[in-house]
Amino acid sequence: MVDFGAQYAQLIARRVREARVYSEIVPHGTSVEAILERKPAAIILSGGPSSVYAEGAPGIDPALFTSGVPVFGMCYGFQLMAQGLGGQVASTGTREYGRTPVTISQPGTLLAEMPAQHNVWMSHGDTVTQAPSGFSVLASTEVTPVAAFEDLERRMAGVQWHPEVLHSEHGQNVLEHFLHDIAGCRQTWTMLNVVEEQVEKIREQVGEGRAICALSGGVDSAVAAALVQRAIGDRLTCVYVDHGMMRLGETEQVRRDFEEVFDSLDVVDAEEQFLTALAGVTEPETKRKIIGHEFIRTFEAAEVRVFGDAQQGETVFLVQGTLYPDVVESGGGAGTSTIKSHHNVGGLPDDLNFELVEPLRALFKDEVRAVGEQLGLPERMVWRQPFPGPGLGIRIIGEVTKERLDMLRQADAIAREELTKSGLDREIWQMPVVLLADVRSVGVQGDGRTYGHPVVLRPVTSEDAMTADWARLPYEVMEKISTRITNEVAEINRVTIDITSKPPGTIEWE
Ligand code: XMP
């Protein structure tokens, strides 16, 4: 895929993987020779923010169109194809953004077996007004006369819309018709390939070196570490920092789960250190910064223990479970970078280099879970709901103290237990329980007055945590959680529920 600055570059790559075809992303500006050297079975031209008429708009060498390789264009890529192959693109002044109905005039191969009218996601200002010769026009919209075309002889096709986004109905079919039926790509790519490919890459990068991984207990770092372990065996050391803000029984659980899978796990008990650093702090960002800072300090101390005997000049590799949604730059990047700030870490030789290993950089959460399953990680680990690095520290609104943490831990354990009992674990993305530690309200229990704290349940549904909706928990489940928390946790006398979507709310309260 040639990336013209698409917002959805990795999403397109992911849809291609879903069609069981391997894909790589190259930035626009890559020469046609370099693209062809990779021997692509097909080339996709992505969307992009430019107008093909804008000054300095990224273009494509027309040689690409005579190379004999099948080409598919979407949005901007579609317009580049039209322009490069002799059709016409015009700035008509009419724009289409968001959900747009398309009408199929003839389905051809690309749009075969789709409803003649359906909704797709558009985002464009320019419009293809005339298809290049040899192409059949397949669809149009109210303002776009040429919204899809194909030329089966040259194995080329394109659509004005974004077939990769969920809002485009039949989008995956469009891509698959191009990949399988027009370009003839074989459907051989699976998560097993991802494992093999990443293991190979890690071996290449790390060579005979050693690596360290901070396990958070979550699925991302677990899968990243498991891949690295498969690649370099016992030259990987895993470190788990217990900052005292984990959930009830979590550290023990993580230790049991991880010792099943990993050869070496270094569990660091840092509760006192973290709680001391957080004493008196209530401002959310300050809390986060302190927790982040203490975490690095603890991790560095563990590194010193583990790699204290590292040779001068030896590169130590740091494994991170960075996912695609965490990656800021588009295009996938090279996957490695050196962390300069680690250079003068106390106790380590000055010129000891750290290099990042991020085997999940191009993947989405559900793909990471599929890789985890492929690697044979326990289901509990693979399907664990996300939990923030700062832990319960950002779920106590107010100062974080051991007493408050214990209170919240109990309430949270009850909520999680009841959610699991109700069988809703996989449907609910997350259900933080938030303690409003500085709020008190009057209640009555056992004929006596109480003056306790409220907790907030925050059940949400989401696909990627970027956006979320509040989950409509069944009343019986809410009732059970509320009754148990108020009965079993002495200081809590009210349970409330947060019914705000994201945006405008975030999932966590801090
Ligand atoms: P928000 O609250 O921003 O959360 O809607 C989105 C997702 O990110 C998680 N989260 C974090 N995860 N470190 C993490 O590893 C953090 O500092 C952090 N803050 C929020 C949150 O639980 C949700 O899944």
Side-chain angles (χ1 to χ4, degrees), residues 288 386-390 394-395 429-430 465 502 505-510:
R288 280 174 174 277
F387 184 62
I394 55 164
R395 293 183 180 170
W429 170 268
Q430 246 176 315
K502 171 183 178 176
T506 52
I507 295 176
E508 305 290 347
W509 270 44
E510 290 199 332

Side-chain angles (χ1 to χ4, degrees), residues 282-432:
T282 55
E283 205 279 317
E285 273 312 294
T286 315
K287 273 188 195 171
R288 280 174 174 277
K289 287 208 180 99
I290 292 173
I291 295 170
H293 176 81
E294 292 302 319
F295 183 82
I296 289 171
R297 266 191 46 198
T298 319
F299 187 61
E300 283 169 352
E303 283 165 353
V304 175
R305 274 200 310 283
V306 176
F307 293 118
D309 60 343
Q311 304 295 309
Q312 288 277 321
E314 179 182 341
T315 301
V316 174
F317 294 86
L318 190 63
V319 182
Q320 297 208 324
T322 318
L323 304 193
Y324 181 67
D326 310 328
V327 177
V328 205
E329 0 61 76
S330 74
T336 62
S337 59
T338 302
I339 307 179
K340 302 260 170 54
S341 57
H342 274 264
H343 269 204
N344 294 312
V345 170
L348 289 177
D350 281 352
D351 56 349
L352 182 68
N353 294 316
F354 274 88
E355 202 181 289
L356 285 183
V357 181
E358 298 181 307
L360 311 178
R361 258 177 94 85
L363 303 184
F364 288 78
K365 192 95 174 179
D366 52 346
E367 293 184 303
V368 170
R369 292 201 161 116
V371 170
E373 283 181 337
Q374 192 69 53
L375 286 165
L377 297 184
E379 191 173 312
R380 252 197 326 275
M381 209 184 266
V382 171
W383 285 98
R384 206 164 169 268
Q385 289 182 349
F387 184 62
L392 300 180
I394 55 164
R395 293 183 180 170
I396 291 175
I397 311 305
E399 187 190 0
V400 180
T401 65
K402 174 102 168 68
E403 193 194 356
R404 290 172 168 188
L405 281 165
D406 286 338
M407 198 190 304
L408 178 55
R409 259 192 279 268
Q410 272 187 51
D412 171 78
I414 293 169
R416 279 189 298 137
E417 194 185 314
E418 291 302 328
L419 192 68
T420 301
K421 269 195 215 154
S422 72
L424 289 170
D425 273 340
R426 290 201 188 184
E427 252 167 74
I428 304 292
W429 170 268
Q430 246 176 315
M431 185 169 72

Side-chain angles (χ1 to χ4, degrees), residues 96-387:
E96 281 174 313
Y97 288 107
R99 184 190 308 269
T100 311
V102 285
T103 305
I104 298 176
S105 45
Q106 53 162 325
T109 300
L110 190 68
L111 307 181
E113 289 160 26
M114 287 174 209
Q117 282 265 3
H118 65 267
N119 290 316
V120 297
W121 199 257
M122 292 275 197
S123 182
H124 68 114
D126 297 339
T127 298
V128 177
T129 49
Q130 197 189 324
S133 68
F135 278 77
S136 342
V137 177
L138 309 179
S140 58
T141 73
E142 212 175 306
V143 301
T144 304
V146 182
F149 57 41
E150 70 181 17
D151 176 350
L152 294 180
E153 207 156 298
R154 282 187 283 181
R155 298 189 295 169
M156 290 190 193
V159 291
Q160 178 60 66
W161 62 90
H162 286 274
E164 73 278 19
V165 304
L166 273 180
H167 310 282
S168 280
E169 292 164 13
H170 309 287
Q172 185 66 17
N173 286 348
V174 174
L175 266 178
E176 291 185 2
H177 283 155
F178 168 72
L179 291 167
H180 303 155
D181 306 331
I182 298 179
C185 297
R186 285 183 301 140
Q187 302 173 51
T188 52
W189 186 252
T190 65
M191 279 300 154
L192 182 62
N193 301 115
V194 175
V195 171
E196 284 166 0
E197 183 198 41
Q198 286 308 324
V199 166
E200 193 49 41
K201 269 197 184 156
I202 295 163
R203 283 200 184 122
E204 227 167 73
Q205 186 188 355
V206 178
E208 288 306 305
R210 293 182 290 174
I212 187 164
C213 179
L215 290 177
S216 65
V219 58
D220 307 341
S221 55
V223 171
L227 279 169
V228 175
Q229 175 162 285
R230 185 169 280 204
I232 66 165
D234 62 6
R235 284 179 287 126
L236 167 73
T237 301
C238 295
V239 177
Y240 168 84
V241 176
D242 179 357
H243 52 28
M245 294 172 283
M246 304 306 283
R247 292 169 292 185
L248 196 68
E250 189 155 31
T251 295
E252 296 70 34
Q253 183 68 56
V254 167
R255 191 199 291 270
R256 275 197 303 276
D257 286 350
F258 281 71
E259 278 175 353
E260 246 176 60
V261 179
F262 294 101
D263 300 332
S264 73
L265 177 66
D266 192 1
V267 177
V268 185
D269 177 2
E271 179 182 41
E272 209 179 304
Q273 174 197 334
F274 276 81
L275 295 193
T276 307
L278 283 168
V281 179
T282 55
E283 205 279 317
E285 273 312 294
T286 315
K287 273 188 195 171
R288 280 174 174 277
K289 287 208 180 99
I290 292 173
I291 295 170
H293 176 81
E294 292 302 319
F295 183 82
I296 289 171
R297 266 191 46 198
T298 319
F299 187 61
E300 283 169 352
E303 283 165 353
V304 175
R305 274 200 310 283
V306 176
F307 293 118
D309 60 343
Q311 304 295 309
Q312 288 277 321
E314 179 182 341
T315 301
V316 174
F317 294 86
L318 190 63
V319 182
Q320 297 208 324
T322 318
L323 304 193
Y324 181 67
D326 310 328
V327 177
V328 205
E329 0 61 76
S330 74
T336 62
S337 59
T338 302
I339 307 179
K340 302 260 170 54
S341 57
H342 274 264
H343 269 204
N344 294 312
V345 170
L348 289 177
D350 281 352
D351 56 349
L352 182 68
N353 294 316
F354 274 88
E355 202 181 289
L356 285 183
V357 181
E358 298 181 307
L360 311 178
R361 258 177 94 85
L363 303 184
F364 288 78
K365 192 95 174 179
D366 52 346
E367 293 184 303
V368 170
R369 292 201 161 116
V371 170
E373 283 181 337
Q374 192 69 53
L375 286 165
L377 297 184
E379 191 173 312
R380 252 197 326 275
M381 209 184 266
V382 171
W383 285 98
R384 206 164 169 268
Q385 289 182 349
F387 184 62

